[in-house]
């Protein structure tokens, strides 16, 4: 089993070796509502924390998904481009966004574990 | 992803507790705490309204009586402020029009009904936008003659039931409504209480708007929801439904600088009034009819799947030519849809345009409105 971490931007990060699979949390998907469009980054793009990694649009509005970690995009879930609703159906499974080859794995220490994330969501109301 | 406004200062409708009990997500809208969606979600709510019947709480909208001595006097006074033909309204009939400022800009758009209540000769019933009602009523008070009184109706809630099954569903609860024609209203009774129903709406579907006293709103809401074809619909789907139907929203397509010609609402100004004028801004509107307006609202279909939102710049031949006023995803259209201002010479169906979305030029074309065929009962 890989280790799942969470960001304050409501992303989950599942790490396997030096590759992190990233998606948005169930809480984020519920807050956004039905997604109708997902724009994913190009494979090969390098990102740093806070960079725009993807764009999601619900019926109502567009939102950015920010990179939680530094690295190079090595794979994207292009299924989402045709079926953005997968994010709502299975945000923490089939609705993953991208895989990053991490350049600074120590950044993982700044992320939350599941209990801390749940407390963070609770606190935000 | 968080709502910045605090709910403390917001008004609520008589159905607020019903929305919360149904699990609605409540958001601030035009000074009210309103349901943006229920647990089913905007896509399901939108589709349900197109397929069956959707129930909306639109009690935030402004309702008022204009009261004068007789129809001719009240109608003539209102015609000084709007470009529609109000005098020819028969009892029970309803018309769509705009309150215009002296430059021909739109203060608000509204529905005007000639009352069909017995003993209410000389009254017109108005329904205006929530976000504009204070401005509208102040404008009416300052501009109408002393012989015409304006009485706001905050003690009345407003529900809308929209969709192909709306007629059958409402008829089971309020017998007689099936006989109403499009843009016609009449008084009815529900559970011993007086109500007023008009056959109209804001979704492009057949349906009704029903005025009911606040204390009876919950009973009517629950009776309608008990019908198997009826589902509650929030403001999110209300917006996607009206956008697909090509209907304007104040603050987007309409504001105080926009004329009815620019808003592509010339259909709502009858020939005689175009010719004779006699409403605010008539000179501008007559000039725009003769010489063309500088800009015009048109339907715009982006290619691909990315929606182009309100404020998106429209380009043609490398030049900025207009702006998107409303844009989103049309669940029934199966893709993104938008309305926007373009020069009239570029407003022809088939015209190619570029929309600047996140720094990239997205190809789009002008299409005939509506995006989804209207199914009004004529």
């Amino acid at each position: 089993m890989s280790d799942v971490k969470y960001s304050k931007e409501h992303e989950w990060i599942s790490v396997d070796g030096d590759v992190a699979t990233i998606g948005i949390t169930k809480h984020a998907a519920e807050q956004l509502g039905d997604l109708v469009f997902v724009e994913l980054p190009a494979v090969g793009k390098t990102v740093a924390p806070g960079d725009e990694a993807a764009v999601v649009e619900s019926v109502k509005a567009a939102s950015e998904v920010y990179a939680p970690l530094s690295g190079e995009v090595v794979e994207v879930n292009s299924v989402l481009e045709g079926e953005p609703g997968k994010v709502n159906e299975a945000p923490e499974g089939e609705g993953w966004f991208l895989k990053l080859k991490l350049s600074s794995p120590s950044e993982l220490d700044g992320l939350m574990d599941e209990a801390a994330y749940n407390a963070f969501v609770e606190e935000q109301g | 992803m968080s709502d910045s406004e605090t709910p403390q200062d917001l008004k609520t409708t008589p159905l607020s507790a019903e929305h919360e009990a149904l699990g609605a997500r409540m958001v601030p809208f035009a000074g009210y705490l309103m349901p943006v969606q229920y647990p089913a979600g905007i896509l399901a709510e939108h589709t349900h309204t197109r397929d069956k019947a959707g129930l909306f709480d639109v009690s935030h909208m402004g309702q008022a009586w204009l009261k004068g001595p007789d129809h001719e006097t009240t109608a003539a006074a209102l015609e000084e402020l709007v470009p529609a033909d109000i005098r020819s309204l028969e009892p029970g009939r309803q018309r769509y029009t705009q309150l215009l400022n002296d430059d021909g800009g739109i203060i608000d758009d509204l529905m005007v009904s000639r009352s069909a209540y017995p003993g209410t000769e000389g009254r017109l019933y108005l329904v205006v936008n929530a976000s504009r009602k204070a401005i509208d009523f102040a404008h009416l008070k300052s501009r109408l003659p002393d012989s015409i009184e304006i009485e706001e109706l905050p003690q009345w809630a407003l529900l809308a039931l929209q969709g192909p099954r709306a007629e059958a569903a409402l008829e089971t609860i309020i017998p007689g409504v099936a006989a109403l024609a499009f843009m016609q209203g009449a008084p009815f009774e529900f559970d011993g209480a007086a109500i007023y129903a008009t056959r109209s709406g804001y979704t492009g579907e057949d349906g009704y708007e029903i005025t009911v006293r606040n204390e009876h709103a919950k009973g009517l809401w629950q009776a309608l929801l008990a019908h198997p074809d009826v589902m509650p619909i929030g403001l999110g789907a209300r917006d996607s439904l009206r956008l697909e139907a090509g209907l304007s929203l104040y603050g987007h397509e309409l504001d105080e600088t926009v004329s009815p010609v620019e808003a592509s609402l010339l259909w709502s100004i009858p020939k005689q009034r175009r010719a004779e004028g006699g409403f605010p801004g008539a000179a501008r509107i007559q000039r725009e009819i003769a010489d063309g307006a500088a800009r015009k609202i048109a339907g715009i279909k982006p290619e691909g799947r990315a929606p182009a939102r309100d404020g998106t710049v429209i380009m043609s031949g490398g030049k900025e030519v207009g702006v998107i006023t409303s844009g989103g995803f049309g669940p029934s259209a199966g893709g993104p849809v938008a309305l926007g201002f373009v020069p009239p010479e570029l407003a022809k169906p088939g015209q190619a345009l570029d929309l600047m979305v996140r720094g990239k030029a997205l190809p789009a074309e002008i299409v005939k409105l509506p995006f989804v065929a209207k199914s009004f009962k004529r």
Side-chain angles (χ1 to χ4, degrees), chain B residues 17-329:
Chain B
E18 299 303 300
H19 304 316
E20 306 225 9
L22 289 164
R25 184 182 301 169
M26 305 296 282
V27 300
F29 180 82
Y32 283 80
L33 192 61
M34 297 298 290
V36 67
Q37 65 168 82
Y38 297 88
I42 296 176
L43 291 180
E45 292 171 27
H46 177 112
T47 307
H48 186 90
T49 306
R50 292 258 185 264
D51 291 344
K52 292 181 176 175
L55 179 62
F56 304 74
D57 176 14
V58 288
S59 303
H60 58 315
M61 297 192 76
Q63 301 180 72
W65 282 122
L66 279 194
K67 296 158 122 180
D70 53 68
H71 176 69
E72 178 62 27
T73 307
T74 313
L78 186 58
E79 281 194 6
E80 297 279 324
L81 304 178
V82 304
D85 180 353
I86 306 297
R87 276 182 248 218
S88 71
L89 270 182
E90 296 289 336
R93 292 289 167 167
Q94 186 175 39
R95 217 150 262 171
Y96 168 80
T97 191
Q98 308 86 35
L99 277 175
L100 298 180
N101 63 29
D102 293 329
D103 300 321
I106 299 172
I107 297 170
D108 199 4
D109 63 341
L110 71 161
M111 289 291 217
V112 179
S113 300
R114 180 169 174 186
S115 176
Y117 272 112
T120 56
E121 173 62 14
R123 287 196 194 189
L124 294 170
Y125 163 64
L126 311 183
V127 181
V128 306
N129 282 302
S131 62
R132 302 293 291 175
K133 62 185 175 185
I135 291 161
D136 296 342
F137 295 150
H139 173 75
L140 287 163
K141 276 176 193 142
S142 77
R143 295 288 288 262
L144 288 168
D146 292 343
S147 57
I148 310 294
E149 186 197 339
I150 174 157
E151 181 190 336
E152 295 176 41
L153 301 169
Q155 71 276 30
W156 290 83
L158 189 63
L159 309 188
L161 187 68
Q162 301 277 297
R165 304 269 181 90
E167 178 190 84
L170 192 60
E171 183 69 22
T172 63
I173 294 155
I174 304 166
V177 292
L180 291 175
F182 181 59
M183 300 294 270
Q184 186 189 13
F188 295 92
E189 241 183 47
F190 167 74
D191 201 18
I195 61 164
Y196 193 84
T198 64
R199 196 156 198 161
S200 61
Y202 191 50
T203 59
E205 297 297 322
D206 181 30
Y208 300 83
E209 292 195 349
I210 310 142
T211 308
V212 55
R213 278 194 170 270
N214 290 339
E215 59 269 32
H216 299 291
K218 178 179 160 186
L220 180 58
W221 172 268
Q222 290 182 343
L224 287 166
L225 275 190
H227 192 284
D229 286 339
V230 177
M231 176 170 155
I233 312 296
L235 294 182
R238 184 168 162 85
D239 190 45
S240 56
L241 288 158
R242 72 90 197 169
L243 178 55
E244 282 185 344
L247 298 170
S248 307
L249 175 59
Y250 201 90
H252 289 256
E253 288 68 47
L254 315 180
D255 65 35
E256 293 204 16
T257 72
V258 176
S259 78
V261 181
E262 292 177 325
S264 296
L265 296 173
L266 191 55
W267 59 267
S268 68
I269 310 181
K271 290 219 162 60
Q272 195 182 346
R273 298 223 68 198
R274 293 181 203 177
E276 292 175 1
F279 50 84
R284 169 185 175 185
I285 287 161
Q286 288 168 331
R287 189 180 67 242
E288 288 179 347
I289 293 170
D291 304 338
R295 56 184 177 169
K296 196 170 182 288
I297 287 290
I300 297 165
K301 181 98 188 76
E303 274 177 32
R305 292 187 64 100
R309 304 287 177 179
D310 178 11
T312 298
V313 168
I314 304 173
M315 309 278 290
S316 174
K319 279 197 319 199
E320 184 173 337
V321 294
V323 64
I324 298 291
T325 51
S326 292
F329 181 79

Side-chain angles (χ1 to χ4, degrees), chain A residues 2-114:
Chain A
S2 60
D3 187 18
V4 180
K5 300 270 196 181
Y6 298 86
S7 78
K8 288 190 172 176
E9 302 288 346
H10 302 282
E11 291 136 324
W12 56 265
I13 298 101
S14 168
V15 185
D16 189 1
D18 62 353
V19 174
T21 303
I22 296 164
I24 64 170
T25 63
K26 187 163 175 284
H27 172 78
E30 280 168 5
Q31 290 297 307
L32 288 165
D34 297 323
L35 294 189
V36 296
F37 178 75
V38 175
E39 188 176 276
L40 297 165
V43 170
K45 183 180 175 175
T46 58
V47 292
D51 287 355
E52 182 184 301
V55 175
V56 293
E57 301 222 16
S58 68
V59 184
K60 292 290 292 172
S63 312
E64 285 83 33
V65 176
Y66 299 104
L69 300 162
S70 304
E72 181 189 341
V73 178
V74 291
E75 194 179 341
V76 296
N77 186 9
S78 38
V79 171
L80 301 184
E81 288 168 352
E83 296 177 70
K86 283 253 187 269
V87 179
N88 299 102
E89 284 165 31
E92 302 189 16
E94 275 184 62
W96 64 277
F97 278 60
L98 55 101
K99 293 188 183 185
L100 271 189
K101 186 166 195 263
L102 301 179
S103 52
S104 311
S106 63
E107 289 168 357
L108 285 164
D109 299 340
L111 298 172
M112 292 176 276
D113 63 13
E114 188 177 358

